[in-house]
Amino acid sequence: MRVEYVPTICPYCATGCGIYLVVKDGRIAGVEPWKEHPVNEGKNCPKGRSAHEFLYGKERLEKPLIREGSGFREASWDEALELIAERLKGAEPEEVGFLSSCKLTNEDLYVMQKFARCVVKTNNIDTPSRFCHSTTVPALISTVGTGVMETSTMSLEEADCFIIAGSNIKENYPLIARRIMRARERGAKVIVIDPRRTITARDLADIHLQINPATDVALINGMMKVILEEGLEDREFIERRTVGFEELRKYLSELDMGEIERITGVSRELIREAAVTYARAERGCILYNAGICQHVEGIGNIRALADLAMLTGNFGKPGTGVNPLRGHINGEGSGDMGVVNVFYPGFVRVGEDAARKFGELWGVEGLPTEPGLTYMDMIEKCRILYIQGTNPMVSAPNTNDVRKKLEEKELVVVQDIFMTETARLADVVLPAAAWGEKTGTVTEVDRRVQLMRKAVEPPGEAKPDWKIVCELAAKMGMGEKFNFGSAEEVFEEIRRVVPAYAGISYKRLEKAGGIQWPCPSEDHPGTDTMFADGKFRTPDGLGHFFVVEYKGPAEPVDEEYPFALLTGRVMFHYHTGTMTRRTPRLDAEMPSAWVEINVEDAKALGINDGEVVAVKSRRGEIRVPARVTGNIKRGVVFIPWHFSETPANALTGPIAEPPSRMPEFKYSAVKIEKVEVRG
Ligand code: SF4
C-alpha cells in the first residue's frame, strides 16, 4: 500500500493549524500532527484531529443537478452551465446576487468576485463575514485605519494582560487559548467579558465581568472613566498619536458609575479592578469576537474597545492591539479578495476610481461603481441568487423567512460540496471539490497567508470552485479574462492587484507558517505587528477616538418575551455543521442542541434539567432540552446554532442599519414554555 503525507492547513477555524494528511491508495485515511508548524506545534483540537472524515460523509455532491418537479435530475456540466449562463444573460446586474463563503480559498473567492464585477457588472457580492465581522471593518477603519488582527498568534505570549471580550476562546480557538495560558503561566492577567461563565471564563479568567447582554459599551466606558480618574492613561501616546481625546474625556467625566453598575450588572469595584489591571499592564491585548460584533450596536462596541486601547497606548508592539478573532478559516481572505459589496480586492472602496483602476487591471470596461447589496438584502431583493459554499438556511437570521424568500426566486444556483439545507431549495446544484481535493491559499486570523495542498482527487465530476466559475465565464463569452490554468496562476494575478500580497508566492508559502501580510516585495519577511512604524493606517496616520453612547439592544426583553437569547458555537462543531455534522467522531460527541438556562429561572418556570421546552420568539419556535446551570445570568438563555433540525436562527431577528447590516445574534427576545406531555 502506498502511503503519502501531505502537509496542509486544518479546514476549520481561522487559527490556521498545520496538519499532515495521510493518503493511502488515493484516499485520505487520517490526520497526523505537523510538529514543525509554528502556529500549533503539532497540537490540534478535536476538529483538526478528525478533519478528513467529512470528505466521505453522506450526500456528497458528485454531478451537476437540475431541479425537476420536487426533486433533481443529473445533468452534464455543459447543460447546467448553459442554463445558468442563459438566465444570467437575461438579467439586469442589480437583479443578481452572489453569496460566497469564507471556507473557500483566496483563489476561489477572487475568481467569484471578478466574475460578479466583470461579467454580471454588479457589486452584489458578500459572504457570511456579514454575520461575523461586518461591524469590525467600518469600526476599525474609522479608528485605526484597518480592520485586522494587529499582532500574531505567536506574539500573544508577549502580552501581560488580556481582555477577552465576547469570545469563548478556549472552546472556539483552543490553540490560540494555549498561547494565553502560556502567557498566564508567566504572570499575565486575563479579564473576560461575557454574560456566560464559559469554559474560558472558568479556566482562564482572573477577573470575569459577567455583564448583562448588550451592555458592553456601558462597561467599557466605565473602565475608561476609571482609568482617567486614576490618572493611568498614556498621555504621551494620546498627544502624539491620536485625535478626539478631549471630547471623549469630557463625555466620560459626566458618566455616573452607579448608572453603569445598574446597566451592566457588574459592581463598580470589579469594573475598577479590571480597568486598573489593564491600564497598568506593559502590553495589554484586547481579543474580541461575536459577542462584541453581533449586535446592532456592534460598531459602537468595537470603537469603544479601540478607545480603551488608545487611551492606554496599547498599539504597535507584539502582544498588543484590538484584535478581531475571525471565525472562518478564510474570513480575512474573503475581505482581502474583495468579496464584499463595498470593496474591490485589497479593500479598495467601490466607486468611480476603483472601477477605473480594476477596469484597467482586468482589461474590462463598465465595472460597477455603486455599492452592492449585503447578504440579507440580496436574499430579500435579488431575482437570481448564486450561492457558493454558504448555507443561509442555517446561518442567516429568521430562517423561516429565508426559506420563503428562496422559494420565490426565479433562479437559485448552489455550488457546494454537500446537499445542504440551502441546496435542497436550489434550481441548479453544482458539485465542488472540497478541502484536500484542491490547492489554494487561505488567510488566517492574524493575516497569515498559508498554502492548502491537494491530496486526493475530488469525487465524481466535482471541480474546484474557481474552475467552475471560469467555465461559466467562458459560456458567457468572457473566457479570455478567466483563462487560468491553475490555482497558482490565479494567485499570481492576486499578487498583481492586491499590494499587501505582492511579495507572497506559492514557492515562499512552502515554508511552515506561511507569511503575514502586508508583504510588499519578495524580500520582505511579512508583518508580525501592525503599526510598529508609529503610524495608524488612517488618512492622517492618527488614531481617532470616538464618543460612543450606550444604546442597548434593538429588541429588548419585555413581559411577553422576557429572556435574552444568545446564540453561539461549541468546540465540536463548525458553523452550519455541513462538515462537522458529517464527521462521525464530532457528531457523536455533540449530536444535538440544548438551551442553557439559569437555575433560578428554571425553578420559577418549573423546568427540570434535560426536559424538552419550547423556545419562542416573534419569528419562530424550536423545541430543545433544557440544560439548567448556574453559569448563565438570570434572564439570559443560550442555544448553539449548528443544528438545522432545531435551528436557533429560526428565532433570531433584528438587523442593524448600514453600513454593517449585522444581525443581533447575541440578543433576541424570547420566551420559554414547558411542553405539555400528552398522556
Ligand atoms: Fe483546526 Fe482551529 Fe482546531 Fe487548530 S484550533 S485544529 S485550526 S479547528
Side-chain angles (χ1 to χ4, degrees):
M1 185 186 292
R2 194 162 156 260
V3 182
E4 210 187 333
Y5 292 84
V6 180
T8 193
I9 307 303
C10 171
Y12 291 116
C13 86
T15 308
C17 298
I19 51 177
Y20 277 103
L21 297 178
V22 184
V23 182
K24 291 184 182 166
D25 292 335
R27 197 178 155 92
I28 303 177
V31 166
E32 291 270 323
W34 184 352
K35 294 208 173 75
E36 304 75 33
H37 198 283
V39 169
N40 57 315
E41 299 166 319
K43 307 276 187 288
N44 293 109
C45 79
K47 287 202 286 286
R49 289 197 291 272
S50 50
H52 63 296
E53 288 184 22
F54 76 89
L55 289 173
Y56 307 107
K58 59 181 188 310
E59 295 186 299
R60 194 65 210 275
L61 296 169
E62 298 193 9
K63 276 178 180 268
L65 304 170
I66 293 178
R67 177 160 295 284
E68 198 167 68
S70 58
F72 292 99
R73 67 171 169 83
E74 288 184 357
S76 67
W77 273 107
D78 220 41
E79 185 189 4
L81 293 179
E82 285 283 355
L83 187 158
I84 300 165
E86 282 313 308
R87 303 290 275 278
L88 289 178
K89 280 182 201 163
E92 295 298 322
E94 64 277 9
E95 294 173 333
V96 184
F98 294 87
L99 304 177
S100 191
S101 164
C102 311
K103 293 196 294 281
L104 298 172
T105 63
N106 287 325
E107 292 76 359
D108 294 329
L109 291 159
Y110 177 82
V111 170
M112 187 81 261
Q113 64 79 36
K114 185 175 173 182
F115 180 88
R117 291 176 167 129
C118 292
V119 182
V120 181
K121 305 276 168 66
T122 183
N123 284 316
N124 287 348
I125 184 155
D126 209 354
T127 66
S129 249
R130 180 65 47 193
F131 304 151
C132 307
H133 285 279
S134 59
T135 40
T136 285
V137 175
L140 290 185
I141 285 181
S142 63
T143 52
V144 297
T146 179
V148 296
M149 184 158 166
E150 291 146 15
T151 186
S152 73
T153 300
M154 288 79 108
S155 294
L156 289 175
E157 290 191 34
E158 298 190 36
D160 53 9
C161 180
F162 296 90
I163 293 179
I164 303 172
S167 176
N168 187 0
I169 206 165
K170 188 141 188 244
E171 196 157 340
N172 295 322
Y173 305 88
L175 272 296
I176 290 182
R178 184 167 164 263
R179 301 282 172 179
I180 298 170
M181 283 153 83
R182 279 196 190 162
R184 202 161 174 264
E185 279 161 18
R186 288 205 299 271
K189 296 286 180 220
V190 179
I191 299 158
V192 170
I193 302 173
D194 201 312
R196 297 168 64 217
R197 188 164 179 267
T198 59
I199 184 172
T200 303
R202 198 188 67 205
D203 293 358
L204 290 184
D206 295 287
I207 301 171
H208 178 200
L209 303 172
Q210 195 168 7
I211 56 168
N212 293 326
T215 64
D216 305 81
V217 163
L219 178 82
I220 299 158
N221 280 341
M223 288 175 70
M224 289 195 287
K225 183 178 172 68
V226 170
I227 289 168
L228 288 172
E229 282 173 359
E230 298 282 335
L232 292 172
E233 74 275 21
D234 186 337
R235 278 275 163 188
E236 197 262 319
F237 183 92
I238 294 167
E239 275 159 28
R240 199 166 44 84
R241 295 198 46 192
T242 69
V243 288
F245 171 68
E246 250 329 291
E247 292 86 337
L248 179 67
R249 190 200 59 71
K250 184 165 178 307
Y251 173 74
L252 294 173
S253 71
E254 288 161 7
L255 293 181
D256 172 25
M257 282 307 281
E259 182 67 0
I260 290 173
E261 237 177 2
R262 188 192 63 74
I263 294 169
T264 60
V266 180
S267 73
R268 69 183 74 192
E269 291 76 23
L270 207 54
I271 295 174
R272 178 165 297 273
E273 191 186 337
V276 169
T277 304
Y278 174 71
R280 288 211 172 119
E282 196 56 40
R283 293 189 181 195
C285 180
I286 298 175
L287 296 157
Y288 72 88
N289 198 14
I292 286 289
C293 303
Q294 291 177 334
H295 288 287
V296 293
E297 295 300 333
I299 291 177
N301 288 347
I302 299 158
R303 281 181 174 155
L305 287 175
D307 282 346
L308 179 60
M310 281 191 283
L311 194 66
T312 48
N314 273 308
F315 282 104
K317 291 173 279 184
T320 63
V322 180
N323 299 288
L325 293 168
R326 288 179 180 268
H328 283 91
I329 179 171
N330 205 19
E332 181 57 57
S334 71
D336 300 347
M337 296 303 112
V339 190
V340 197
N341 65 323
V342 291
F343 292 115
Y344 275 80
F347 288 98
V348 178
R349 196 168 284 281
V350 160
E352 297 281 350
D353 289 350
R356 198 172 315 112
K357 175 184 163 155
F358 282 89
E360 279 165 21
L361 284 166
W362 290 332
V364 177
E365 288 184 354
L367 296 190
T369 57
E370 295 297 320
L373 297 171
T374 59
Y375 197 105
M376 293 308 290
D377 293 327
M378 281 186 257
I379 290 178
E380 178 78 31
K381 295 176 182 162
C382 288
R383 278 172 47 213
I384 295 177
L385 283 181
Y386 197 118
I387 302 176
Q388 181 192 33
T390 180
N391 189 7
M393 278 303 298
V394 183
S395 61
N398 197 356
T399 45
N400 294 329
D401 192 54
V402 171
R403 169 183 292 277
K404 238 187 283 159
K405 296 276 160 37
L406 292 182
E407 284 171 348
E408 287 163 11
K409 297 290 165 212
E410 188 183 308
L411 177 73
V412 175
V413 178
V414 171
Q415 182 172 309
D416 212 318
I417 58 175
F418 287 109
M419 181 58 84
T420 63
E421 293 76 4
T422 304
R424 283 188 199 111
L425 302 175
D427 301 291
V428 183
V429 180
L430 303 176
W435 162 90
E437 298 163 356
K438 63 183 177 185
T439 295
T441 60
V442 284
T443 308
E444 315 291 359
V445 63
D446 57 354
R447 299 165 280 110
R448 183 180 308 279
V449 184
Q450 301 200 87
L451 190 58
M452 299 208 302
R453 292 168 176 86
K454 177 175 173 175
V456 293
E457 290 301 324
E461 297 177 18
K463 301 179 188 189
D465 285 80
W466 64 265
K467 208 163 203 289
I468 297 169
V469 177
C470 289
E471 288 176 10
L472 182 59
K475 289 270 180 228
M476 294 188 68
M478 293 282 280
E480 84 281 7
K481 303 294 176 200
F482 291 80
N483 194 16
F484 301 112
S486 66
E488 187 170 5
E489 283 184 22
V490 180
F491 192 79
E492 286 300 308
E493 184 168 309
I494 293 170
R495 292 177 67 188
R496 286 198 293 279
V497 305
V498 180
Y501 283 64
I504 305 173
S505 64
Y506 269 35
K507 177 135 190 49
R508 290 189 77 192
L509 291 180
E510 276 166 19
K511 181 181 74 127
I515 298 173
Q516 285 177 275
W517 70 254
C519 179
S521 59
E522 292 227 11
D523 55 1
H524 191 286
T527 306
D528 178 282
T529 308
M530 296 293 286
F531 318 134
D533 58 0
K535 286 200 187 88
F536 288 108
R537 295 296 175 267
T538 47
D540 59 9
L542 297 171
H544 290 238
F545 280 107
F546 278 80
V547 170
V548 188
E549 290 180 37
Y550 165 71
K551 293 197 183 117
E555 185 187 58
V557 295
D558 55 21
E559 259 181 44
E560 194 183 356
Y561 294 96
F563 288 92
L565 165 69
L566 320 181
T567 61
R569 295 180 286 153
V570 296
M571 179 186 278
F572 295 102
H573 288 295
Y574 181 70
H575 298 278
T576 67
T578 306
M579 291 142 69
T580 52
R581 302 265 345 257
R582 290 179 173 87
T583 298
R585 268 190 284 182
L586 297 174
D587 210 41
E589 287 285 352
M590 203 163 271
S592 55
W594 65 89
V595 56
E596 201 172 294
I597 182 168
N598 178 275
V599 185
E600 296 302 321
D601 287 331
K603 205 160 137 195
L605 292 167
I607 291 167
N608 298 312
D609 190 43
E611 181 181 338
V612 173
V613 296
V615 187
K616 298 180 180 177
S617 78
R618 292 180 174 88
R619 293 156 292 276
E621 170 182 345
I622 62 170
R623 292 181 177 208
V624 277
R627 200 176 269 188
V628 178
T629 170
N631 290 335
I632 195 161
K633 281 185 90 102
R634 285 206 71 174
V636 184
V637 293
F638 169 84
I639 304 177
W641 63 271
H642 312 284
F643 302 90
S644 62
E645 63 278 22
T646 49
N649 279 325
L651 306 167
T652 54
I655 298 180
E657 294 302 312
S660 81
R661 298 295 275 142
M662 171 65 86
E664 192 146 44
F665 291 121
K666 292 293 189 263
Y667 197 116
S668 308
V670 298
K671 58 182 158 191
I672 313 284
E673 290 176 355
K674 276 178 83 75
V675 175
E676 293 297 323
V677 183
R678 289 168 196 266

